[in-house]
């Protein structure tokens, strides 16, 4: 293999990889649907044009067949006049022959237009089948495009979430949370320890008053209240 063949293959591979990278499933499905609809419209337009030609050629065929019938009738009228001695035989036969030739020429034209119409009608039958196939493909593509669009959106969201989650240090966060929990527990233990130390520094009387819920200020207040009661009585 020559160096040019290898370079061409590498370039082709790189180009295919680049195209694969920029291809978006949803956008490509929508583009395919647009192209199918464009093909459908072009096919409909072409079918209409061929159908118009077929109708025109059938009309021409009918016209020439009517013309042939008219010339044939004239030829018969001339022959009738010859037989009834109303027309000279030689002149009548000459005119009848010309009428017959005109009739045959009109029939030939009618046959040509008929054959053209038959070909066009055959083409229409084939085209009509293909148009129905395109129409079915459009319906199928619309359904598949919706599914592809939904799948693409789901994949996009999932990819974004997974990418975000992959960058999160979950283990580090949980370790930090555990450390904070341990610090909170340590603070609780220190608070309890300080409370115990405060209780150990109380005098015997303070400790008793604390347990009983009494104090100097409350005893003095009770004495004032008792004195007020005595004065009122």
């Amino acid at each position: 293999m020559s160096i040019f063949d290898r370079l061409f293959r590498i370039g082709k591979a790189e180009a295919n990889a680049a195209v694969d990278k920029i291809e978006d499933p949803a956008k490509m499905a929508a583009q395919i649907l647009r192209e199918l609809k464009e093909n459908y419209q072009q096919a409909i337009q072409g079918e209409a044009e061929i159908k118009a030609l077929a109708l025109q050629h059938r009309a021409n065929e009918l016209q020439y067949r009517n013309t042939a019938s008219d010339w044939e009738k004239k030829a018969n009228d001339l022959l009738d006049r010859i037989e009834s001695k109303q027309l000279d035989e030689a002149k009548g036969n000459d005119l009848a022959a010309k009428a017959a030739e005109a009739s045959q020429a009109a029939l030939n034209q009618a046959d040509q237009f008929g054959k053209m119409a038959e070909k066009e009608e055959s083409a229409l039958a084939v085209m009509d089948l293909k148009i129905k196939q395109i129409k079915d493909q459009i319906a199928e593509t619309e359904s598949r495009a919706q599914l592809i669009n939904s799948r693409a959106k789901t994949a996009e969201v999932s990819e974004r979430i997974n990418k975000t989650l992959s960058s999160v240090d979950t283990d580090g966060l949980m370790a930090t949370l555990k450390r904070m929990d341990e610090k909170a527990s340590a603070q609780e233990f220190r608070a309890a320890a300080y409370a115990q130390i405060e209780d150990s520094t109380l005098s015997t009387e303070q400790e008793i008053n604390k347990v009983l819920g009494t104090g100097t200020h409350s005893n003095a207040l009770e004495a004032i209240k008792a004195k007020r009661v005595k004065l009122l009585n």
Side-chain angles (χ1 to χ4, degrees), residues 164-181:
T164 301
L165 292 177
S166 65
S167 63
V168 175
D169 184 9
T170 306
D171 293 338
L173 291 176
M174 297 308 295
T176 302
L177 182 63
K178 182 179 179 182
R179 191 168 64 255
M180 293 303 101
D181 184 57

Side-chain angles (χ1 to χ4, degrees), residues 18-227:
V19 171
D20 289 338
K21 187 175 181 180
I22 63 175
E23 275 186 340
D24 182 275
K27 291 180 180 178
M28 290 300 296
Q31 178 61 30
I32 291 172
L33 182 59
R34 281 193 295 270
E35 291 179 7
L36 283 174
K37 288 183 176 180
E38 289 175 0
N39 293 338
Y40 178 75
Q41 291 300 325
Q42 291 175 0
I44 289 293
Q45 183 178 353
E47 184 184 35
E49 292 174 357
I50 295 176
K51 186 171 291 186
L53 288 174
L55 292 172
Q56 181 64 54
H57 291 156
R58 284 299 183 190
N60 292 339
E61 177 191 12
L62 180 60
Q63 180 181 354
Y64 277 101
R65 292 197 185 281
N66 290 335
T67 300
S69 296
D70 291 340
W71 280 114
E72 184 178 0
K73 182 178 181 303
K74 289 178 181 179
N76 285 319
D77 290 341
L78 289 169
L79 293 174
D80 289 340
R81 291 193 178 189
I82 292 172
E83 290 177 358
S84 64
K85 307 298 182 180
Q86 296 179 14
L87 183 62
D88 179 70
E89 183 176 356
K91 185 177 181 179
N93 284 331
D94 181 60
L95 292 175
K98 291 179 179 179
E101 290 175 0
S103 176
Q104 187 59 49
L107 282 175
N108 292 338
Q109 288 290 332
D111 289 340
Q112 289 182 4
F113 280 115
K115 289 178 181 179
M116 293 172 65
E118 287 177 1
K119 290 181 180 180
E120 290 154 357
E121 289 165 355
S122 298
L124 283 172
V126 175
M127 187 172 291
D128 187 58
L129 180 61
K130 291 184 177 180
I131 287 175
K132 288 181 180 178
Q133 291 176 347
I134 295 176
K135 195 171 183 180
D136 292 339
Q137 289 175 345
I138 289 175
E140 180 184 356
T141 303
E142 285 178 338
S143 178
R144 293 179 65 181
Q146 290 177 353
L147 291 175
I148 290 173
N149 190 42
S150 298
R151 290 169 59 193
K153 286 184 178 178
T154 301
E156 180 183 357
V157 173
S158 298
E159 182 180 3
R160 186 169 62 251
I161 293 174
N162 291 333
K163 187 180 293 184
T164 301
L165 292 177
S166 65
S167 63
V168 175
D169 184 9
T170 306
D171 293 338
L173 291 176
M174 297 308 295
T176 302
L177 182 63
K178 182 179 179 182
R179 191 168 64 255
M180 293 303 101
D181 184 57
E182 291 174 351
K183 289 185 69 175
S185 297
Q187 288 177 342
E188 291 174 347
F189 290 140
R190 283 198 300 272
Y194 282 130
Q196 292 177 4
I197 292 172
E198 182 181 356
D199 289 342
S200 65
T201 59
L202 295 177
S203 64
T204 302
E205 182 179 3
Q206 287 175 332
E207 187 174 357
I208 292 173
N209 289 336
K210 181 178 180 181
V211 172
L212 297 177
T214 58
T216 306
H217 295 293
S218 59
N219 289 337
L221 179 60
E222 291 298 327
I224 292 173
K225 289 182 178 179
K227 187 176 180 180

